[in-house]
Amino acid sequence: ADLLAAAEGLGPHPLAMLCLLSLNGLRIGEACSLDVDSLGWDGHYPVVSFIRKGGSPGKAVLARPTEAAVKAAIGARVEVPLLLTHAETRMNRAAAQRIIDRCLPSVRGDHGRITPHALRHSFTTAALDAHVPIDQVQHDGSWHDLRMVTYYSHGHASPARASRPGRSG
């Protein structure tokens, strides 16, 4: 929450990037690859479409705060890319890290260095804490192996072990 609040003060593109990573669990490469026309709808749900790691098509239903941040980042633009730097070029991993580093002084607690990839770990843990079904977290993270959910949540509540029949917690 501290990171998102700090990003809000930096403008719509930093906030949209951090929402995509921390609230929707996108990889930094997926978020940076988004174009303005990546935003669409699946029924009543806002989604972004992109190419996942490994080349398969991906689609992520946006959390409401992410939807608002993405729409603010797009504004009236109809051209690519979705996430821009201050120089109005496509955001990349290095630019994303600079944004996170600028937000770090506002983050309370002992946290060490926060990277775009660390936000994917935080997304996974937060989803499990919110009682999102483990198969949904696995789907949203685009992991083929359920053990990756445990890895990304740092064994938090041992979701993979608890979900297998015949094993006690």
Side-chain angles (χ1 to χ4, degrees), residues 90-105:
R90 183 181 293 274
M91 192 178 293
N92 60 24
R93 182 181 313 273
Q97 186 61 60
R98 285 191 297 272
I99 290 165
I100 293 169
D101 290 344
R102 286 182 64 195
C103 295
L104 281 181

Side-chain angles (χ1 to χ4, degrees), residues 35-106:
D35 293 327
V36 169
D37 63 357
S38 298
L39 179 63
W41 294 90
D42 187 351
H44 296 287
Y45 299 99
V47 297
V48 287
S49 299
F50 52 91
I51 301 300
R52 289 238 182 240
K53 181 178 178 180
S56 61
K59 187 183 289 188
V61 176
L62 298 181
R64 292 298 177 191
T66 306
E67 175 191 9
V70 165
K71 285 181 175 180
I74 292 171
R77 294 183 301 125
V78 294
E79 299 276 330
V80 295
L82 192 150
L83 298 176
L84 297 174
T85 64
H86 283 295
E88 297 196 10
T89 60
R90 183 181 293 274
M91 192 178 293
N92 60 24
R93 182 181 313 273
Q97 186 61 60
R98 285 191 297 272
I99 290 165
I100 293 169
D101 290 344
R102 286 182 64 195
C103 295
L104 281 181
S106 299

